[in-house]
Amino acid sequence: MQFGSPGDPPGYTSLWARLFSADAALDEKCVQEMAYSVCDRDPRGAEERRADALSALIQQTTMSCLCGDADCEATRGNPPDKNTIIYIVADRDTITAETDSGDAGDPSDGGPGDGDPGQGGPGDGGDPVGEDGDESGPESCAPAAPAFVFGAGILPAVLLSPLMARARIRTVSQPGGALPETRYIPSRALADFIRCRDLTCRFPGCDAPATDSDIDHTVPYPVGPTHASNLKCLCRFHHLLKTFWTGATGWQDRQLPDGTIIWTSPTGHTYTTHPAGAALFPALGPATPVLWDGDPPRNTNTEHRGAMMPRRRHNRAQNRARAITAERRLNDDLVAEHNRPPPF
């Protein structure tokens, strides 16, 4: 199964899968039956209902009718709460406008199982706008700015409204002149800002979602403080690469106050990456304070730093084989216990 294609329009993701013929026939019948389980007043077309039915089946929930009538017989009630979480970031004005237009009530009262916005929840609308954000409000004639779904890309504002009913919103603010934190792990508020500012891994050419990435100190802690001007998102692979492939023949990185990262490869080539969130959401763009005058300090690493790279004792195939063997042993024990003759 494959999700997404380079040709997908913003806000939409294509789905491709190869199934056994019998399973495909059964799945098609289930989707068709669910698509027509709503009443005739439902405003969606047949293809749109089929797409929504497929999503409902995958999420193991029910398909709600959108006719809006309180006495609709096809209404299945509220869908069950799920533990699946998606993260969305959007401007305050976009959230306000879509909540008012969708008449979804107060989105801050998200139900159980919703994610924590700011980095989002199911249909979560994190708000990167701080106290200095644009307060034009939903009355503005300009169209609402799009949102961003971590791991999926840009979401047009008109598609955000149906997701707001179950969203839990958390404000994400630009830290401004905040002092460095006195611990290695950043606070939740600071981590939210870093992830919303970066959106993806900051290594050149990597688009791993920031929500699945580590938060790295550009100048290693404790020489480098836990501060927005010294933090960025790196996926686990590139975090290990940056941490252990150091020295004269390793990767070097330097962070500017606006979140720009300048990388120098072992061959001497330089690559510059810019925070995508700051480009999409101007409230996240202002530079954070300068931490050092001149070049930043560097930790003194030995030439054998790479020897400290953590290594697996067993590869994935070996781990899988061991898990299967253990499961079979457990099943054999259960069968033997079941077939054991009763004591006299």
Side-chain angles (χ1 to χ4, degrees):
M1 180 177 290
Q2 177 179 337
F3 287 86
S5 169
D8 291 340
Y12 294 90
T13 300
S14 59
L15 170 63
W16 183 94
R18 187 189 299 273
L19 306 174
F20 290 112
S21 298
D23 291 337
L26 180 61
D27 293 347
E28 183 178 8
K29 184 175 179 61
C30 290
V31 168
Q32 192 75 2
E33 290 177 353
M34 181 173 285
Y36 285 95
S37 65
V38 296
C39 76
D40 295 336
R41 299 185 300 275
D42 188 281
R44 291 168 290 185
E47 290 301 319
E48 187 176 359
R49 291 202 306 270
R50 284 166 59 90
D52 290 345
L54 179 60
S55 296
L57 284 174
I58 293 176
Q59 298 168 21
Q60 297 181 352
T61 184
T62 57
M63 185 170 177
S64 301
C65 183
L66 300 182
C67 68
D69 293 345
D71 57 348
C72 175
E73 297 180 356
T75 301
R76 303 296 184 91
N78 294 326
D81 293 320
K82 298 296 178 183
N83 292 326
T84 303
I85 298 175
I86 62 172
Y87 297 97
I88 299 178
V89 58
D91 283 324
R92 176 189 296 131
D93 292 343
T94 300
I95 295 173
T96 304
E98 295 308 313
T99 301
D100 291 344
S101 64
D103 200 19
D106 183 0
S108 63
D109 296 330
D114 290 353
D116 292 326
Q119 306 165 6
D124 171 349
D127 181 3
V129 180
E131 293 180 357
D132 298 302
D134 180 13
E135 298 292 346
S136 59
E139 295 81 43
S140 174
C141 295
F148 183 88
V149 183
F150 284 95
I154 294 175
L155 178 72
V158 294
L159 300 180
L160 182 62
S161 180
L163 305 176
M164 295 302 299
R166 299 182 61 202
R168 183 182 302 164
I169 296 177
R170 185 167 73 247
T171 299
V172 177
S173 300
Q174 213 269 6
L179 296 176
E181 297 182 353
T182 58
R183 58 182 184 176
Y184 172 74
I185 299 176
S187 64
R188 183 175 185 174
L190 180 56
D192 287 349
F193 168 76
I194 298 300
R195 289 193 166 95
C196 290
R197 182 198 66 186
D198 291 352
L199 296 186
T200 64
C201 170
R202 298 298 307 282
F203 195 84
C206 184
D207 60 355
T211 47
D212 296 336
S213 301
D214 301 332
I215 294 182
D216 169 65
H217 289 73
T218 300
V219 176
Y221 184 87
V223 176
T226 302
H227 188 275
S229 297
N230 191 47
L231 296 175
K232 63 181 178 298
C233 291
L234 288 179
C235 68
R236 181 61 54 87
F237 176 82
H238 290 127
H239 193 179
L240 291 173
L241 180 74
K242 180 256 182 180
T243 301
F244 294 101
W245 194 359
T246 58
T249 59
W251 283 88
Q252 305 291 336
D253 57 334
R254 179 171 180 174
Q255 182 167 344
L256 304 182
D258 63 354
T260 298
I261 307 296
I262 302 174
W263 294 88
T264 303
S265 72
T267 61
H269 294 82
T270 58
Y271 305 88
T272 302
T273 64
H274 301 279
L280 291 175
F281 306 102
L284 297 174
T288 50
V290 178
L291 297 179
W292 299 282
D293 295 330
D295 293 334
R298 293 190 177 277
N299 281 10
T300 55
N301 295 323
T302 67
E303 60 181 2
H304 303 295
R305 173 76 173 173
M308 300 175 63
M309 169 76 80
R311 300 179 183 274
R312 289 192 180 101
R313 295 185 178 181
H314 307 283
N315 59 34
R316 290 185 177 89
Q318 292 171 330
N319 288 338
R320 183 173 182 273
R322 293 176 63 188
I324 292 175
T325 301
E327 188 70 20
R328 287 174 176 171
R329 186 182 302 114
L330 176 61
N331 291 338
D332 292 340
D333 293 341
L334 293 175
V335 171
E337 180 68 23
H338 178 75
N339 295 331
R340 181 177 302 170
F344 293 101

